[in-house]
Amino acid sequence: MTYRFEMLDGEYFWGGSVTEGKKNPFGKNSDFTADYREECINQVMPLFLSNKGRYIWSKNPFKIEFKNGTITIEGEGVLLYSAGETLKDAYLCAMQKHFPCNGRILPEKFFSAPQFNTWMEFVYEPTQEGILKYAQDIIDNGFEPGVLIIDEGWQKQYGKWEFDDKKFPNPKEMTDKLHKMG
């Protein structure tokens, strides 16, 4: 389905993927297209916020184009909401409607203990064996155990919440060992 929305005078939208952040905001003179149905970008949000209190949202991937003051979107279930008069109004409305806080609080350890991230060590290629060695090296080098964030590369593909069984043959065994290490 194709949707077309006219931009308001003085209106600008922010959104898309992290890699396109430097191209934001998008206004009446913008010439920008992104197809989030095809591209596998790991830090993308199907949300565009306007300084005029409007926002575009879909729970499905879509293609978006800003050109000549018109926003053209191809996808399913795309909606343009009027939420108020400001960027803040748009954000708060979108947050409450589409991704409200569930009231859960992070464990105290997230604020009182060191955090280690596998990205620095492995970038996109962590393995079960490598992560266990990394954790042991942290302890062996005198660092206090804390929170170990297993970053990118553990899953089969973005959006599939399953461990890559070639790189992680037994994720439960790995997490049990990590917990025993502290």
Side-chain angles (χ1 to χ4, degrees):
M1 182 164 263
T2 300
Y3 306 87
R4 283 190 178 73
F5 306 111
E6 296 303 316
M7 295 186 71
L8 304 174
D9 287 334
E11 185 171 38
Y12 294 92
F13 280 85
W14 286 262
S17 74
V18 170
T19 57
E20 294 153 352
K22 63 186 175 226
K23 297 174 185 173
N24 281 238
F26 305 109
K28 281 191 172 188
N29 296 322
S30 295
D31 186 359
F32 173 79
T33 302
D35 191 343
Y36 302 118
R37 299 169 305 176
E38 303 296 326
E39 299 170 11
C40 185
I41 299 171
N42 76 326
Q43 294 181 2
V44 67
M45 171 61 100
L47 173 69
F48 285 80
L49 301 167
S50 156
N51 64 319
K52 297 288 184 171
R54 302 191 311 166
Y55 70 91
I56 297 165
W57 166 262
S58 177
K59 65 179 180 177
N60 302 306
F62 56 83
K63 178 181 179 182
I64 190 165
E65 178 183 54
F66 291 87
K67 190 171 187 136
N68 300 323
T70 300
I71 305 166
T72 304
I73 304 173
E74 295 175 23
E76 297 299 321
V78 177
L79 295 170
L80 174 68
Y81 293 87
S82 289
E85 298 178 2
T86 67
L87 183 66
K88 180 180 177 181
D89 293 338
Y91 171 74
L92 290 174
C93 184
M95 178 193 64
Q96 290 165 355
K97 187 169 183 75
H98 306 290
F99 38 95
C101 179
N102 62 11
R104 290 185 7 209
I105 298 172
L106 290 172
E108 187 270 335
K109 195 170 193 174
F110 277 76
F111 304 97
S112 63
Q115 294 185 19
F116 303 94
N117 189 311
T118 61
W119 175 264
M120 286 60 147
E121 189 75 14
F122 304 105
V123 188
Y124 294 111
E125 297 300 326
T127 63
Q128 181 170 327
E129 182 181 337
I131 286 173
L132 288 170
K133 181 180 181 324
Y134 178 56
Q136 189 61 54
D137 288 348
I138 289 168
I139 294 167
D140 290 348
N141 283 286
F143 291 97
E144 175 188 343
V147 176
L148 179 63
I149 300 164
I150 301 175
D151 208 319
E152 292 197 59
W154 61 269
Q155 72 278 43
K156 290 181 180 184
Q157 70 181 63
Y158 290 122
K160 300 275 184 181
W161 298 99
E162 300 171 8
F163 276 91
D164 179 334
D165 52 6
K166 291 180 180 76
K167 295 195 273 183
F168 294 88
N170 192 336
K172 175 155 180 18
E173 176 183 281
M174 176 187 69
T175 55
D176 287 347
K177 286 181 181 178
L178 291 170
H179 288 152
K180 284 181 185 170
M181 296 168 134

